[in-house]
Amino acid sequence: MTIVEQNAAQQGISPERLRLQRKSLLATGVGNLLEWFDWTIYTVASVYIAGSLFDSGNPMSALLSTLAVFAVGFLMRPIGGLVFGPLADKLGRRKVLLTTMFLMAGASLGIALIPSYAAIGSWASLLLLLARLIQGFAHGGESTTSYAYIAEIAPPKRRGLWSSSVFIAVGSGSLLATFFMAMLTGVFSKPEMMEWGWRIPFAAGALLAVAALWLRRGMMESEHVAGAPEADAAPAWSKKQVVAAGVKLFLYEAGATLTYYTWVTSAAIYAIGVKGMDPGQPPASPWTRSNNSAHQIHGQFPAVPQAPGNCRIPEGKQ
């Protein structure tokens, strides 16, 4: 019996319930990972999206338009949280988490299938904007509901550990999206990536979401919803305390988010879009640079074959 099972037995939690809790934790984590994969893939593919779904006559303007659509998605996230938060209290966490996963997957598949700007003109940009609005809306609802859900279903003595799994899923989804795009740029040429290669991760994320939806179908409902009293209890915090804590949390998250997206989004876009770096060519490592320097030095001096044990000592050094 594991430590978690021993603690669960001490708290009167049956093995069946513990297995259901773990299954629900896995389903939430996988869904969170895929949602962040779908969200992040837009940033790492923005250079290709700009050339495909916007007017390529002005590359810099197309790139800025792509990033503007990315920013609009952020505006929809708090709106999604405000809408889905109360719905999760009324309808249940499980239904909301299924809905947000479905919306995110549908929007990703839509982006993968949008015809190019050359085919339908400005409609391509408009459809992209609509898809990102849906993604931002769903993402806000997913974050609001999943964080509360994990804390509510976790065993009391494992609540902090289980809640941290959400952030592990967030980081893993972002890393997976970056790795996937790096792999594609190494396999396909730049024209292929511009034409259709950038669509692959969006389609893959949508298809993998089917597995996440299947997992989430069997999730347990939070007791905070299923057994909630009809009369509203008095709030533990006053409105002033809630606002003060919200402002502090906002400033903290804003600083962390600014640093994160500076490197995940801005650095790569600047290197590829402004400096013209080839996305399919990995940067030279210190070992590669040292090797190149050694070859350059070696090229300045002729090689003198020496027989083993017949090494000559230069004159004046004897």
Coordinates of all heavy atoms in Angstrom, one line a residue, residues 87-172:
L87 N -20.9 29.3 -14.4 CA -21.5 28.1 -15.0 C -21.0 26.8 -14.3 O -21.7 25.9 -14.1 CB -21.2 28.1 -16.5 CG -22.0 29.0 -17.4 CD1 -21.6 28.9 -18.8 CD2 -23.5 28.8 -17.2
A88 N -19.7 26.9 -14.0 CA -19.1 25.7 -13.3 C -19.7 25.5 -11.9 O -19.9 24.3 -11.4 CB -17.6 25.9 -13.1
D89 N -20.1 26.6 -11.3 CA -20.8 26.5 -10.0 C -22.2 25.9 -10.1 O -22.7 25.2 -9.3 CB -20.8 27.8 -9.3 CG -19.5 28.3 -8.8 OD1 -18.6 27.4 -8.6 OD2 -19.2 29.5 -8.7
K90 N -22.9 26.3 -11.2 CA -24.3 25.9 -11.4 C -24.4 24.5 -12.1 O -25.2 23.7 -11.6 CB -25.0 26.9 -12.2 CG -25.1 28.3 -11.5 CD -25.8 29.3 -12.4 CE -26.0 30.6 -11.7 NZ -26.6 31.7 -12.6
L91 N -23.6 24.3 -13.1 CA -23.8 23.1 -13.9 C -22.8 22.0 -13.5 O -23.0 20.8 -13.9 CB -23.6 23.4 -15.4 CG -24.5 24.5 -16.0 CD1 -24.2 24.7 -17.5 CD2 -26.0 24.1 -15.8
G92 N -21.7 22.4 -12.9 CA -20.7 21.4 -12.5 C -19.4 21.6 -13.2 O -19.4 22.1 -14.4
R93 N -18.3 21.3 -12.6 CA -17.0 21.5 -13.2 C -16.8 20.6 -14.4 O -16.2 21.0 -15.4 CB -15.9 21.1 -12.1 CG -16.1 21.7 -10.7 CD -15.9 23.2 -10.6 NE -15.8 23.6 -9.3 CZ -16.6 24.5 -8.7 NH1 -17.5 25.1 -9.5 NH2 -16.4 24.9 -7.5
R94 N -17.3 19.3 -14.3 CA -17.0 18.4 -15.4 C -17.6 18.8 -16.7 O -17.0 18.7 -17.7 CB -17.7 17.0 -15.0 CG -17.6 15.9 -16.0 CD -18.1 14.6 -15.5 NE -18.3 13.7 -16.5 CZ -19.4 13.6 -17.3 NH1 -20.4 14.5 -17.1 NH2 -19.5 12.7 -18.2
K95 N -18.8 19.3 -16.7 CA -19.5 19.8 -17.9 C -18.7 21.0 -18.5 O -18.6 21.0 -19.8 CB -20.9 20.2 -17.7 CG -21.8 19.0 -17.3 CD -23.3 19.5 -17.1 CE -24.2 18.3 -16.8 NZ -25.6 18.7 -16.6
V96 N -18.3 21.9 -17.7 CA -17.5 23.0 -18.2 C -16.2 22.6 -18.8 O -15.8 23.1 -19.9 CB -17.3 24.1 -17.1 CG1 -16.3 25.1 -17.5 CG2 -18.7 24.7 -16.7
L97 N -15.5 21.7 -18.1 CA -14.2 21.2 -18.6 C -14.4 20.5 -20.0 O -13.5 20.5 -20.8 CB -13.5 20.3 -17.6 CG -13.0 21.1 -16.3 CD1 -12.5 20.1 -15.3 CD2 -11.9 22.1 -16.7
L98 N -15.4 19.7 -20.1 CA -15.7 19.1 -21.4 C -16.0 20.1 -22.5 O -15.5 20.0 -23.6 CB -16.9 18.2 -21.3 CG -16.7 16.8 -20.6 CD1 -18.0 16.1 -20.3 CD2 -15.8 15.9 -21.4
T99 N -16.7 21.2 -22.1 CA -17.1 22.2 -23.1 C -15.9 23.0 -23.5 O -15.7 23.2 -24.7 CB -18.1 23.2 -22.5 OG1 -19.3 22.4 -22.1 CG2 -18.5 24.2 -23.5
T100 N -15.0 23.4 -22.6 CA -13.8 24.2 -23.0 C -12.9 23.4 -23.8 O -12.3 23.9 -24.8 CB -13.1 24.7 -21.7 OG1 -12.8 23.6 -20.9 CG2 -14.0 25.6 -20.9
M101 N -12.7 22.1 -23.5 CA -11.9 21.2 -24.3 C -12.4 21.1 -25.8 O -11.7 21.1 -26.7 CB -11.8 19.8 -23.7 CG -10.8 18.9 -24.3 SD -9.1 19.1 -23.8 CE -8.5 20.0 -25.2
F102 N -13.7 21.0 -25.9 CA -14.4 20.8 -27.2 C -14.2 22.1 -28.0 O -13.9 22.1 -29.2 CB -15.8 20.5 -27.0 CG -16.6 20.4 -28.3 CD1 -16.5 19.3 -29.1 CD2 -17.4 21.5 -28.8 CE1 -17.2 19.2 -30.3 CE2 -18.1 21.4 -30.0 CZ -18.0 20.2 -30.7
L103 N -14.4 23.3 -27.4 CA -14.2 24.6 -28.0 C -12.7 24.8 -28.5 O -12.5 25.2 -29.6 CB -14.6 25.7 -27.1 CG -16.1 25.9 -26.8 CD1 -16.4 27.0 -25.8 CD2 -16.9 26.2 -28.1
M104 N -11.8 24.5 -27.6 CA -10.4 24.6 -28.0 C -10.0 23.7 -29.1 O -9.3 24.2 -30.1 CB -9.5 24.3 -26.8 CG -8.1 24.8 -26.8 SD -8.1 26.6 -26.6 CE -6.3 26.9 -26.6
A105 N -10.4 22.5 -29.1 CA -10.1 21.6 -30.2 C -10.7 22.0 -31.5 O -10.1 21.9 -32.6 CB -10.6 20.2 -29.8
G106 N -12.0 22.4 -31.5 CA -12.7 22.9 -32.7 C -12.0 24.1 -33.3 O -11.9 24.2 -34.5
A107 N -11.6 25.0 -32.4 CA -10.9 26.2 -33.0 C -9.6 25.9 -33.6 O -9.2 26.4 -34.6 CB -10.7 27.2 -31.8
S108 N -8.8 24.9 -33.0 CA -7.5 24.5 -33.5 C -7.7 23.8 -34.9 O -6.9 24.1 -35.8 CB -6.8 23.6 -32.5 OG -6.5 24.3 -31.4
L109 N -8.7 23.0 -35.0 CA -9.0 22.3 -36.2 C -9.4 23.4 -37.3 O -9.0 23.3 -38.5 CB -10.1 21.3 -36.1 CG -10.4 20.5 -37.3 CD1 -9.2 19.7 -37.8 CD2 -11.6 19.5 -37.0
G110 N -10.1 24.4 -36.9 CA -10.5 25.4 -37.8 C -9.3 26.2 -38.3 O -9.3 26.5 -39.5
I111 N -8.4 26.5 -37.5 CA -7.1 27.2 -37.9 C -6.4 26.3 -38.9 O -5.9 26.8 -39.9 CB -6.3 27.5 -36.7 CG1 -6.9 28.6 -35.8 CG2 -4.9 28.1 -37.2 CD1 -6.2 28.9 -34.6
A112 N -6.3 25.0 -38.7 CA -5.6 24.1 -39.6 C -6.3 24.1 -41.0 O -5.6 23.8 -42.0 CB -5.6 22.7 -39.0
L113 N -7.6 24.3 -41.0 CA -8.3 24.2 -42.3 C -8.6 25.5 -43.0 O -9.2 25.5 -44.1 CB -9.6 23.4 -42.0 CG -9.5 22.0 -41.5 CD1 -10.9 21.4 -41.2 CD2 -8.7 21.1 -42.4
I114 N -8.2 26.6 -42.4 CA -8.5 27.9 -43.1 C -7.7 28.0 -44.4 O -6.5 27.8 -44.4 CB -8.0 29.1 -42.1 CG1 -8.9 29.1 -40.9 CG2 -8.2 30.4 -42.9 CD1 -8.4 30.1 -39.9
P115 N -8.4 28.3 -45.5 CA -7.7 28.5 -46.8 C -6.7 29.7 -46.7 O -6.9 30.6 -45.8 CB -8.9 28.8 -47.7 CG -10.1 28.2 -47.1 CD -9.9 28.4 -45.6
S116 N -5.8 29.7 -47.6 CA -4.8 30.8 -47.5 C -5.3 32.1 -47.9 O -6.4 32.2 -48.5 CB -3.6 30.4 -48.4 OG -4.0 30.4 -49.8
Y117 N -4.6 33.2 -47.7 CA -5.0 34.5 -48.1 C -5.0 34.6 -49.6 O -5.9 35.4 -50.1 CB -3.9 35.5 -47.5 CG -4.3 37.0 -47.7 CD1 -5.0 37.7 -46.8 CD2 -3.9 37.7 -48.9 CE1 -5.4 39.0 -47.0 CE2 -4.2 39.0 -49.1 CZ -5.0 39.7 -48.2 OH -5.3 41.0 -48.4
A118 N -4.2 33.9 -50.3 CA -4.2 34.0 -51.7 C -5.5 33.3 -52.3 O -5.9 33.7 -53.4 CB -3.0 33.2 -52.3
A119 N -6.1 32.5 -51.5 CA -7.3 31.8 -52.0 C -8.6 32.6 -51.7 O -9.5 32.7 -52.6 CB -7.4 30.4 -51.4
I120 N -8.7 33.1 -50.5 CA -10.0 33.8 -50.1 C -9.8 35.2 -49.6 O -10.7 35.8 -49.1 CB -10.7 33.0 -49.1 CG1 -9.9 32.8 -47.8 CG2 -11.1 31.6 -49.6 CD1 -10.6 32.2 -46.6
G121 N -8.6 35.7 -49.7 CA -8.3 37.1 -49.3 C -8.5 37.4 -47.9 O -8.1 36.6 -47.0
S122 N -9.1 38.5 -47.5 CA -9.2 38.9 -46.1 C -10.0 38.0 -45.3 O -10.0 38.1 -44.0 CB -9.7 40.3 -46.0 OG -8.9 41.3 -46.7
W123 N -10.8 37.2 -45.9 CA -11.6 36.2 -45.1 C -10.7 35.3 -44.3 O -11.1 34.8 -43.3 CB -12.5 35.4 -46.1 CG -13.7 36.2 -46.5 CD1 -13.9 36.8 -47.7 CD2 -14.9 36.5 -45.7 NE1 -15.1 37.4 -47.8 CE2 -15.8 37.2 -46.6 CE3 -15.3 36.2 -44.4 CZ2 -17.0 37.7 -46.1 CZ3 -16.5 36.6 -44.0 CH2 -17.4 37.4 -44.8
A124 N -9.5 35.0 -44.8 CA -8.6 34.1 -44.1 C -8.2 34.7 -42.8 O -8.2 34.1 -41.7 CB -7.4 33.8 -44.9
S125 N -7.9 36.0 -42.8 CA -7.5 36.8 -41.6 C -8.7 36.8 -40.6 O -8.6 36.7 -39.4 CB -7.0 38.2 -41.9 OG -6.0 38.1 -42.9
L126 N -9.9 37.1 -41.2 CA -11.1 37.2 -40.3 C -11.4 35.8 -39.6 O -11.8 35.8 -38.4 CB -12.3 37.6 -41.2 CG -13.6 37.8 -40.4 CD1 -13.4 38.9 -39.3 CD2 -14.7 38.2 -41.4
L127 N -11.3 34.7 -40.4 CA -11.6 33.4 -39.8 C -10.5 33.1 -38.7 O -10.9 32.5 -37.7 CB -11.5 32.3 -40.9 CG -12.7 32.4 -41.9 CD1 -12.5 31.4 -43.0 CD2 -14.0 32.1 -41.1
L128 N -9.3 33.5 -38.9 CA -8.2 33.3 -37.9 C -8.6 34.1 -36.7 O -8.4 33.5 -35.5 CB -6.9 33.7 -38.5 CG -5.7 33.6 -37.5 CD1 -5.4 32.2 -37.1 CD2 -4.5 34.3 -38.1
L129 N -9.0 35.3 -36.8 CA -9.4 36.1 -35.7 C -10.5 35.4 -34.9 O -10.5 35.4 -33.6 CB -9.8 37.5 -36.1 CG -10.4 38.4 -35.1 CD1 -9.3 38.7 -34.0 CD2 -10.8 39.8 -35.7
L130 N -11.5 34.9 -35.6 CA -12.7 34.3 -34.9 C -12.2 33.0 -34.2 O -12.6 32.8 -33.0 CB -13.7 33.9 -36.0 CG -15.0 33.2 -35.5 CD1 -15.7 34.0 -34.5 CD2 -15.9 32.8 -36.6
A131 N -11.3 32.3 -34.8 CA -10.8 31.0 -34.1 C -10.0 31.4 -32.9 O -10.2 30.7 -31.8 CB -10.0 30.2 -35.1
R132 N -9.3 32.5 -32.9 CA -8.5 32.8 -31.7 C -9.4 33.4 -30.6 O -9.1 33.3 -29.4 CB -7.4 33.9 -32.1 CG -6.2 33.3 -32.9 CD -5.5 32.3 -32.0 NE -4.8 32.8 -30.9 CZ -4.1 32.1 -30.1 NH1 -4.0 30.8 -30.2 NH2 -3.5 32.7 -29.1
L133 N -10.4 34.1 -31.0 CA -11.4 34.6 -30.0 C -12.0 33.4 -29.3 O -12.2 33.4 -28.0 CB -12.5 35.4 -30.7 CG -12.1 36.8 -31.2 CD1 -13.2 37.4 -31.9 CD2 -11.6 37.7 -30.0
I134 N -12.4 32.3 -30.0 CA -12.9 31.1 -29.4 C -11.9 30.4 -28.5 O -12.2 30.0 -27.4 CB -13.4 30.1 -30.5 CG1 -14.6 30.8 -31.2 CG2 -13.9 28.8 -29.8 CD1 -15.0 29.9 -32.4
Q135 N -10.6 30.4 -29.0 CA -9.6 29.8 -28.2 C -9.3 30.5 -26.9 O -9.2 29.9 -25.8 CB -8.3 29.7 -29.0 CG -8.2 28.5 -30.0 CD -6.8 28.3 -30.5 OE1 -6.1 29.3 -30.7 NE2 -6.5 27.1 -30.8
G136 N -9.3 31.8 -26.9 CA -9.1 32.6 -25.7 C -10.2 32.5 -24.8 O -10.0 32.4 -23.5
F137 N -11.4 32.5 -25.3 CA -12.6 32.3 -24.5 C -12.6 30.9 -23.7 O -12.8 30.9 -22.5 CB -13.9 32.4 -25.3 CG -15.2 32.4 -24.6 CD1 -15.6 33.4 -23.8 CD2 -16.0 31.3 -24.8 CE1 -16.8 33.3 -23.1 CE2 -17.2 31.2 -24.1 CZ -17.6 32.3 -23.3
A138 N -12.3 29.9 -24.5 CA -12.2 28.5 -23.9 C -11.1 28.4 -22.9 O -11.2 27.8 -21.9 CB -12.1 27.5 -25.0
H139 N -9.9 29.0 -23.3 CA -8.8 28.9 -22.4 C -9.0 29.6 -21.0 O -8.6 29.1 -20.0 CB -7.6 29.6 -23.1 CG -6.3 29.1 -22.6 ND1 -5.7 29.6 -21.5 CD2 -5.4 28.2 -23.1 CE1 -4.5 29.0 -21.3 NE2 -4.3 28.2 -22.3
G140 N -9.7 30.7 -21.0 CA -10.0 31.4 -19.8 C -11.0 30.5 -18.9 O -10.8 30.4 -17.7
G141 N -11.9 29.9 -19.5 CA -12.8 29.0 -18.8 C -12.1 27.7 -18.3 O -12.4 27.3 -17.2
E142 N -11.2 27.2 -19.1 CA -10.4 26.0 -18.7 C -9.6 26.3 -17.4 O -9.5 25.5 -16.5 CB -9.5 25.5 -19.8 CG -8.5 24.5 -19.5 CD -9.1 23.1 -19.3 OE1 -10.2 22.9 -19.8 OE2 -8.4 22.2 -18.7
S143 N -8.8 27.4 -17.5 CA -7.9 27.8 -16.4 C -8.7 28.0 -15.1 O -8.4 27.5 -14.0 CB -7.1 29.0 -16.7 OG -6.3 28.8 -17.9
T144 N -9.8 28.8 -15.2 CA -10.6 29.1 -14.0 C -11.2 27.8 -13.4 O -11.1 27.7 -12.2 CB -11.8 30.0 -14.4 OG1 -11.2 31.2 -15.0 CG2 -12.6 30.4 -13.2
T145 N -11.7 26.9 -14.2 CA -12.4 25.8 -13.6 C -11.4 24.7 -13.2 O -11.6 24.1 -12.1 CB -13.3 25.2 -14.7 OG1 -14.2 26.2 -15.2 CG2 -14.2 24.1 -14.1
S146 N -10.4 24.4 -14.0 CA -9.5 23.3 -13.7 C -8.7 23.5 -12.4 O -8.5 22.6 -11.6 CB -8.5 23.0 -14.9 OG -7.7 24.1 -15.1
Y147 N -8.2 24.7 -12.2 CA -7.5 25.0 -11.0 C -8.3 24.7 -9.7 O -7.8 24.1 -8.8 CB -7.0 26.5 -10.9 CG -6.0 26.8 -12.0 CD1 -5.6 28.1 -12.2 CD2 -5.5 25.8 -12.8 CE1 -4.7 28.4 -13.2 CE2 -4.6 26.1 -13.8 CZ -4.2 27.5 -14.0 OH -3.3 27.8 -15.0
A148 N -9.6 25.2 -9.7 CA -10.5 24.9 -8.6 C -10.8 23.5 -8.5 O -10.8 22.9 -7.4 CB -11.7 25.8 -8.7
Y149 N -11.0 22.8 -9.6 CA -11.5 21.4 -9.6 C -10.4 20.5 -9.0 O -10.8 19.6 -8.2 CB -11.8 21.0 -11.1 CG -12.1 19.5 -11.3 CD1 -13.4 19.1 -10.9 CD2 -11.2 18.6 -11.8 CE1 -13.7 17.7 -11.0 CE2 -11.6 17.3 -12.0 CZ -12.8 16.9 -11.6 OH -13.1 15.5 -11.7
I150 N -9.2 20.7 -9.4 CA -8.1 19.8 -8.9 C -8.0 20.0 -7.4 O -7.8 19.0 -6.6 CB -6.8 20.1 -9.6 CG1 -6.8 19.7 -11.0 CG2 -5.6 19.4 -8.9 CD1 -7.1 18.2 -11.2
A151 N -8.0 21.2 -6.9 CA -7.9 21.4 -5.4 C -9.1 20.8 -4.7 O -9.0 20.4 -3.6 CB -7.8 22.9 -5.2
E152 N -10.3 20.8 -5.3 CA -11.5 20.3 -4.7 C -11.5 18.7 -4.6 O -12.0 18.2 -3.6 CB -12.7 20.8 -5.4 CG -12.9 22.3 -5.2 CD -14.0 22.9 -6.1 OE1 -14.5 22.1 -7.0 OE2 -14.3 24.1 -6.0
I153 N -11.0 18.1 -5.6 CA -11.1 16.6 -5.6 C -9.9 15.9 -5.0 O -9.9 14.7 -4.7 CB -11.3 16.0 -7.1 CG1 -10.0 16.3 -7.9 CG2 -12.5 16.6 -7.7 CD1 -9.9 15.5 -9.2
A154 N -8.8 16.7 -4.7 CA -7.6 16.1 -4.2 C -7.8 15.7 -2.7 O -8.6 16.3 -2.0 CB -6.5 17.2 -4.2
P155 N -7.1 14.6 -2.3 CA -7.1 14.2 -0.9 C -6.6 15.3 -0.1 O -5.7 16.0 -0.5 CB -6.2 13.0 -0.9 CG -6.2 12.4 -2.3 CD -6.4 13.6 -3.1
P156 N -7.1 15.6 1.1 CA -6.7 16.7 1.9 C -5.2 16.9 2.1 O -4.7 18.0 2.1 CB -7.5 16.5 3.2 CG -8.7 15.8 2.9 CD -8.3 14.9 1.7
K157 N -4.6 15.7 2.4 CA -3.1 15.8 2.6 C -2.3 15.8 1.4 O -1.0 15.9 1.4 CB -2.7 14.6 3.5 CG -3.3 14.6 4.9 CD -2.7 13.5 5.7 CE -3.2 13.6 7.2 NZ -2.6 12.5 8.0
R158 N -2.9 15.8 0.2 CA -2.2 15.9 -1.1 C -2.7 17.1 -1.9 O -2.4 17.1 -3.1 CB -2.4 14.6 -1.8 CG -1.6 13.4 -1.3 CD -0.1 13.6 -1.5 NE 0.7 12.5 -1.0 CZ 1.2 12.4 0.2 NH1 1.0 13.4 1.1 NH2 2.0 11.4 0.6
R159 N -3.4 18.0 -1.3 CA -4.0 19.1 -2.1 C -3.0 20.0 -2.8 O -3.1 20.3 -4.0 CB -4.9 19.9 -1.2 CG -5.8 20.9 -1.9 CD -6.9 21.3 -1.1 NE -7.9 20.3 -0.9 CZ -8.6 20.0 0.2 NH1 -8.3 20.7 1.3 NH2 -9.4 19.0 0.2
G160 N -1.9 20.3 -2.1 CA -0.9 21.2 -2.7 C -0.2 20.5 -3.8 O 0.1 21.0 -4.9
L161 N 0.2 19.2 -3.6 CA 0.9 18.4 -4.6 C 0.0 18.2 -5.9 O 0.5 18.4 -7.0 CB 1.3 17.0 -4.0 CG 2.0 16.1 -5.0 CD1 3.3 16.7 -5.5 CD2 2.2 14.7 -4.3
W162 N -1.2 17.9 -5.7 CA -2.1 17.7 -6.8 C -2.4 19.0 -7.6 O -2.4 19.0 -8.8 CB -3.5 17.1 -6.3 CG -3.4 15.6 -6.1 CD1 -2.4 14.9 -5.5 CD2 -4.4 14.6 -6.3 NE1 -2.7 13.6 -5.4 CE2 -3.9 13.4 -5.9 CE3 -5.7 14.7 -6.9 CZ2 -4.7 12.2 -6.0 CZ3 -6.5 13.5 -7.0 CH2 -5.9 12.3 -6.6
S163 N -2.5 20.1 -6.9 CA -2.7 21.3 -7.5 C -1.5 21.7 -8.4 O -1.7 22.4 -9.4 CB -3.0 22.4 -6.5 OG -4.2 22.1 -5.8
S164 N -0.3 21.4 -8.0 CA 0.9 21.7 -8.8 C 0.9 21.0 -10.1 O 1.6 21.4 -11.0 CB 2.1 21.4 -8.0 OG 2.3 20.0 -7.8
S165 N 0.2 19.9 -10.2 CA 0.1 19.1 -11.5 C -0.4 20.0 -12.6 O -0.1 19.8 -13.8 CB -0.7 17.8 -11.3 OG -2.1 18.1 -11.1
V166 N -1.3 20.9 -12.3 CA -1.8 21.8 -13.3 C -0.7 22.6 -14.0 O -0.7 22.7 -15.2 CB -2.9 22.7 -12.7 CG1 -3.4 23.7 -13.8 CG2 -4.1 21.9 -12.2
F167 N 0.2 23.1 -13.2 CA 1.3 23.9 -13.7 C 2.3 23.1 -14.4 O 3.0 23.6 -15.4 CB 1.9 24.8 -12.6 CG 1.0 25.8 -12.0 CD1 0.2 25.5 -10.9 CD2 0.9 27.0 -12.6 CE1 -0.7 26.5 -10.4 CE2 0.0 28.0 -12.1 CZ -0.8 27.7 -11.0
I168 N 2.4 21.8 -14.0 CA 3.3 20.9 -14.8 C 2.7 20.7 -16.2 O 3.5 20.7 -17.2 CB 3.4 19.6 -14.0 CG1 4.2 19.8 -12.7 CG2 4.1 18.5 -14.9 CD1 4.2 18.6 -11.8
A169 N 1.4 20.5 -16.2 CA 0.8 20.4 -17.5 C 0.9 21.6 -18.4 O 1.1 21.5 -19.6 CB -0.7 20.1 -17.3
V170 N 0.8 22.8 -17.8 CA 1.0 24.1 -18.5 C 2.4 24.1 -19.2 O 2.5 24.4 -20.4 CB 0.8 25.3 -17.6 CG1 1.2 26.6 -18.3 CG2 -0.7 25.4 -17.2
G171 N 3.4 23.9 -18.4 CA 4.8 23.9 -18.9 C 5.0 22.8 -19.9 O 5.7 23.1 -20.9
S172 N 4.5 21.6 -19.7 CA 4.7 20.5 -20.6 C 4.0 20.8 -21.9 O 4.6 20.5 -23.0 CB 4.2 19.2 -20.0 OG 4.8 18.9 -18.8

